[in-house]
Amino acid sequence: MKHQPVEGFSKLTKQGKIDWIINEYLDGDQTYETVLKQYWNDNAELQKLHEEFSENTISNFYMPYGIAPNFLIDGKLLALPMAVEESSVVAAASKAAKFWLDKGGFKTTIINTEKLGHTHFIFKAESHKILHFFNFSLKKKLFEATEDITANMRKRGGGILNIELIDKTAELPHYYQLKASFDTKDSMGANFINSCLEQFGKTLKEEVQKEESFTQEEKDSLQVVMNILSNFTPDCIVRAEVSCKIDDLNDDSGISNEEFAWKFKQAVTIAEIEPYRATTHNKGIMNGVDAVVIATGNDFRATEACAHAYAAKDGRYKSLTHCTIENGIFRFWIDLPISVGVVGGLTNLHPLVKFSLALLGKPSAQELMSILAVSGLAQNFAALRSLVTTGIQKGHMKMHLFNILNQMKATEDEKQYFVNYFKDKTVSHHEVMSELERLRKS
Ligand code: MEV
């Protein structure tokens, strides 16, 4: 069926939107309305709050919210909140946390917390004139023009750290940038940075018009293309690491500690040199990072984009984690660039986000960076540990078993039966289905 475009969809009431969607796309089948309403919250105030997070909302989309306990991070014992739909992720994190608990836990170091943004502009004037104008006039004016915007942030110890003029004309004719670095303290700072940058764009236009060293033709050539923060923050970065004697690795999979350490290091090295593997390896890291990013109300698209840009920073996509074995010591670490906040955004609004932050002891943004890096490292440790020993399917399919059983509307008794049934067997979709059929027939 050919569908008709809609005018003013956003202005329809919620019921109006649902009616239109169901009539236009779902053959008027009212059972879909029940599906949507099943996910509404009975608490009208909470429901309204959710609807106001985004636009054109007609329901809520829930995610499982789990806890990975026993994370010893810089001497503090934490239980991590994880919002993730994939089975095994929380179990793997918990297992890795437990593994490192009696080996000193995870240690972290904040390497830097600088965030970046740019005013991108085209200016057909001579480079040396632009540089002179920037150094001797514009730079100061940019700081002055943003004083009101930065006042609060400066009170909190943050603000604009530096502004540089970058000549990009070798890559695109007449292209320059105002590249600014920021300290946004406990906020992610997206609004703050973008407000400063938009002011830079305005001030740049005004000051170019006033500048006597430019001809009128040069002045008229200025085009501010855009003002926007960069989600690539290689200088907002945290290191998380674990280490122990090889003798203490105590892997329970039946291979020796030496062989385990060697295979583990090989797996990391493969992800350092082979982009196909690195992509999956880093995806596994982000399983851990994103789950906590979402639970704490941060922007997982930003953390994903940044992590992958960083993984490719040397011209080839690589592993974010690294491993060494030296003098009998196994060391495993991650350098994770990540920009997150614990104030602003959803953090003061979403009740579960508030819960997550309270559970983590109301961390500062830097402490949250550490927790996120640890979550990624732990996830990667658990994945590699399985991959180089038993393989991941054994654990994974056990969790997947419940997804299959739920799809088949299995009763609690049937679920219990299958947990016992697969105690010593590898789960397969086929086996579950045929055994369920047999069980139900009998
Ligand atoms: C699955 O979501 C993640 C893994 O594939 C990660 C990895 O292979 O390292 C298990």
Side-chain angles (χ1 to χ4, degrees):
M1 188 180 121
K2 205 159 176 277
H3 299 293
Q4 296 303 315
V6 58
E7 279 289 329
F9 182 73
S10 65
K11 304 217 168 57
L12 295 176
T13 60
K14 185 163 65 166
Q15 189 61 50
K17 290 186 183 86
I18 292 174
D19 291 343
W20 183 81
I21 283 283
I22 289 183
N23 289 329
E24 187 66 28
Y25 285 96
L26 300 159
D27 299 328
D29 183 346
Q30 296 304 317
T31 54
Y32 287 112
E33 182 166 339
T34 315
V35 172
L36 292 173
K37 291 188 173 172
Q38 243 172 18
Y39 288 92
W40 288 8
N41 200 290
D42 289 342
N43 177 335
E45 208 180 313
L46 194 62
Q47 181 54 35
K48 187 161 175 291
L49 183 75
H50 270 271
E51 280 162 23
E52 287 172 0
F53 289 149
S54 178
E55 303 80 34
N56 291 348
T57 47
I58 55 173
S59 190
N60 305 311
F61 194 94
Y62 293 163
M63 266 207 190
Y65 180 88
I67 298 292
N70 296 323
F71 270 91
L72 185 60
I73 305 177
D74 300 323
K76 269 194 206 163
L77 194 58
L78 294 178
L80 304 197
M82 302 182 90
V84 61
E85 85 300 345
E86 185 176 333
S87 51
S88 297
V89 169
V90 179
S94 310
K95 231 174 146 184
K98 193 102 178 272
F99 182 94
W100 288 103
L101 183 61
D102 62 358
K103 298 175 184 67
F106 297 82
K107 310 253 168 10
T108 74
T109 319
I110 300 290
I111 298 171
N112 203 349
T113 58
E114 213 175 279
K115 297 166 189 180
L116 298 172
H118 303 85
T119 287
H120 303 268
F121 63 101
I122 303 290
F123 195 14
K124 295 181 186 169
E126 285 174 73
S127 290
H128 71 94
K129 272 174 39 181
I130 302 176
L131 188 62
H132 189 272
F133 160 67
F134 174 77
N135 283 333
F136 294 98
S137 159
L138 181 67
K139 186 170 175 176
K140 188 164 163 273
K141 294 274 169 37
L142 294 172
F143 276 105
E144 283 167 7
T146 45
E147 263 173 12
D148 283 354
I149 304 172
T150 59
N152 247 337
M153 192 61 87
R154 279 185 285 123
K155 259 190 228 153
R156 285 155 51 193
I160 303 171
L161 300 174
N162 194 17
I163 313 171
E164 291 168 82
L165 176 78
I166 309 286
D167 183 340
K168 286 274 183 180
T169 54
E171 286 154 79
L172 179 68
H174 315 296
Y175 169 36
Y176 297 87
Q177 301 170 342
L178 296 173
K179 176 184 178 193
S181 52
F182 302 84
D183 181 349
T184 61
K185 291 292 157 191
D186 275 339
S187 67
M188 190 224 178
N191 281 331
F192 169 73
I193 295 175
N194 287 334
S195 299
C196 290
L197 293 169
E198 289 194 0
Q199 184 58 51
F200 287 176
K202 283 186 202 144
T203 307
L204 171 66
K205 279 190 207 157
E206 287 160 11
E207 294 304 317
V208 162
Q209 285 305 322
K210 288 187 210 156
E211 174 64 30
E212 285 171 358
S213 65
F214 295 129
T215 64
Q216 194 54 45
E217 197 183 343
E218 284 172 332
K219 290 179 185 181
D220 293 344
S221 77
L222 174 72
Q223 289 283 352
V224 173
V225 179
M226 58 190 160
N227 312 287
I228 185 72
L229 65 75
S230 174
N231 285 121
F232 182 38
T233 54
D235 292 322
C236 185
I237 188 160
V238 53
R239 173 169 295 178
E241 58 191 298
V242 284
S243 63
C244 71
K245 288 191 193 135
I246 292 185
D247 293 344
D248 294 340
L249 277 169
N250 286 337
D251 189 71
D252 54 10
S253 63
I255 61 174
S256 72
N257 290 343
E258 283 73 21
E259 188 183 350
F260 171 72
W262 181 85
K263 273 185 98 176
F264 191 101
K265 184 174 171 333
Q266 290 302 305
V268 176
T269 308
I270 288 168
E272 283 169 338
I273 61 158
E274 168 53 73
Y276 281 98
R277 173 57 203 153
T279 307
T280 319
H281 178 101
N282 289 345
K283 186 273 181 190
I285 293 172
M286 298 313 284
N287 278 346
V289 176
D290 286 342
V292 183
V293 164
I294 294 170
T296 55
N298 277 284
D299 179 344
F300 64 94
R301 286 83 58 208
T303 53
E304 282 281 338
C306 185
H308 299 299
Y310 189 77
K313 72 179 182 345
D314 300 328
R316 184 166 68 179
Y317 188 85
K318 288 181 183 170
S319 161
L320 289 165
T321 54
H322 308 282
C323 178
T324 53
I325 300 174
E326 279 166 15
N327 306 321
I329 303 289
F330 171 88
R331 180 166 172 256
F332 181 50
W333 75 97
I334 185 168
D335 285 340
L336 185 72
I338 190 156
S339 165
V340 286
V342 292
V343 296
L346 278 195
T347 54
N348 307 328
L349 292 175
H350 196 301
L352 271 178
V353 168
K354 286 198 229 170
F355 176 88
S356 299
L357 292 171
L359 174 68
L360 292 172
K362 301 213 166 88
S364 65
Q366 294 195 10
E367 284 165 340
L368 184 58
M369 285 169 73
S370 294
I371 292 167
L372 293 166
V374 165
S375 184
L377 186 72
Q379 202 64 42
N380 190 222
F381 180 78
L384 295 184
R385 189 177 177 214
S386 294
L387 284 169
V388 303
T389 55
T390 54
I392 59 161
Q393 283 313 86
K394 193 165 166 243
H396 208 82
M397 288 307 284
K398 278 239 159 85
M399 299 295 288
H400 192 49
L401 173 63
F402 282 93
N403 287 347
I404 303 173
L405 290 173
N406 283 335
Q407 266 168 29
M408 298 310 296
K409 303 209 176 336
T411 63
E412 286 310 309
D413 284 349
E414 284 172 337
K415 284 181 191 170
Q416 195 48 51
Y417 172 85
F418 275 97
V419 169
N420 289 333
Y421 182 84
F422 283 113
K423 224 175 202 136
D424 316 309
K425 292 195 194 82
T426 305
V427 179
S428 78
H429 191 268
H430 174 77
E431 179 89 13
V432 179
M433 297 306 276
S434 56
E435 184 58 17
L436 189 63
E437 201 184 319
R438 197 196 58 74
L439 191 69
R440 284 181 175 173
K441 269 191 192 145
S442 72

